[in-house]
Amino acid sequence: MASSTLKPLGAALLLAALAWPVSSPAETGPAPATATAPIPRTAEGKPDLSGIWQVLGEAEYDLEPHAGRRDAPPGPGVVDSGTIPYRPEALAQRQRNFEARGKDDPRLKCFVLGVPRGVYYQAPFQIFQRPADLTLVHQFGNQVRTIRTDGSLHPAEQHQELWLGDSRGRWDGDTLVVDVTDFNEETWLDRAGNFHSEELHVIERWTLIDANTIDYRATLDDPKVYTKPWTINVLLHRRRDRGFQLIEDYCYTLDYAPFYPHKEGK
């Protein structure tokens, strides 16, 4: 009796699955904001990116498509072209980084995550927006970044090799376009050892596709490491948990935790 009961049920499930509508690739991308789904705006009429945001996905583990491994879940990748176009010598360095990822990842040393890694790292960050700038405060490592939108240019002095680069933004319609230059070479792009040099140049595009979702795209160019520019794309989601706020994560202080607070004056 069990067998005769299961066969019709299995056939019904199969027919239901075949009848289920399948979206084409064009239908699965982020939908633009519409009149029925307005985006928040500032008093000046610009899209308001203020809020606490966090990525859902596996980009932090590896930007490229990857199978699951002991230190990372599987992921489809976020590189538009599928793989990062490394120069041969840089690809060899990336492989060395991968093999030493358990000790050499700057994240493990609580260094600043850098740009763009801080955006898709799996911890929240908060955006404070004013007419002349945006300030990004990241939960991990107290990373604070300023994007100037006052029309000012990059400093004339070059090669300062900043951890977060120098960010200058402008509005292209409802998209914030940010030009970031003047990096050092100390940060990685993910836990798999993808990296850059001090010649890195990043163009970010931040677009609200609805009130609670940002479409984030970053194009990376580095002639010392890559054969051509390449682009990543992730979605950022507004944290709407009741009472949610950033919690200080000064991980570089953990080594000193056993010694504090002082006891008996020692």
Side-chain angles (χ1 to χ4, degrees), residues 148 152-160 162 165-168 179-182:
R148 302 191 184 280
S152 58
L153 303 177
H154 292 295
E157 181 182 356
Q158 300 295 312
H159 305 295
Q160 299 182 67
L162 307 173
D166 181 74
S167 298
R168 306 287 160 162
D179 187 279
V180 197
T181 63
D182 211 353

Side-chain angles (χ1 to χ4, degrees), residues 54-129:
Q54 189 168 356
V55 73
L56 297 176
E58 298 74 31
E60 157 63 15
Y61 293 97
D62 196 334
L63 293 174
E64 297 181 329
H66 58 279
R69 53 181 185 264
R70 289 191 178 276
D71 62 348
V78 296
V79 180
D80 279 0
S81 57
T83 58
I84 300 172
Y86 279 107
R87 294 185 174 279
E89 63 277 12
L91 185 59
Q93 180 60 52
R94 195 280 300 270
Q95 183 60 33
R96 290 192 290 271
N97 290 349
F98 180 82
E99 293 169 356
R101 66 191 182 281
K103 62 181 181 65
D104 286 354
D105 183 354
R107 168 188 61 90
L108 300 175
K109 306 170 186 177
C110 302
F111 289 178
V112 168
L113 293 170
V115 178
R117 186 180 184 182
V119 174
Y120 50 79
Y121 184 74
Q122 293 180 319
F125 67 95
Q126 188 162 4
I127 298 178
F128 298 91
Q129 183 170 338

Side-chain angles (χ1 to χ4, degrees), residues 119 125-128 134-138 143-147 204 206:
V119 174
F125 67 95
Q126 188 162 4
I127 298 178
F128 298 91
L134 296 87
T135 299
L136 281 60
V137 179
H138 295 255
Q143 174 175 310
V144 180
R145 174 188 174 200
T146 298
I147 300 173
E204 299 175 304
W206 303 71

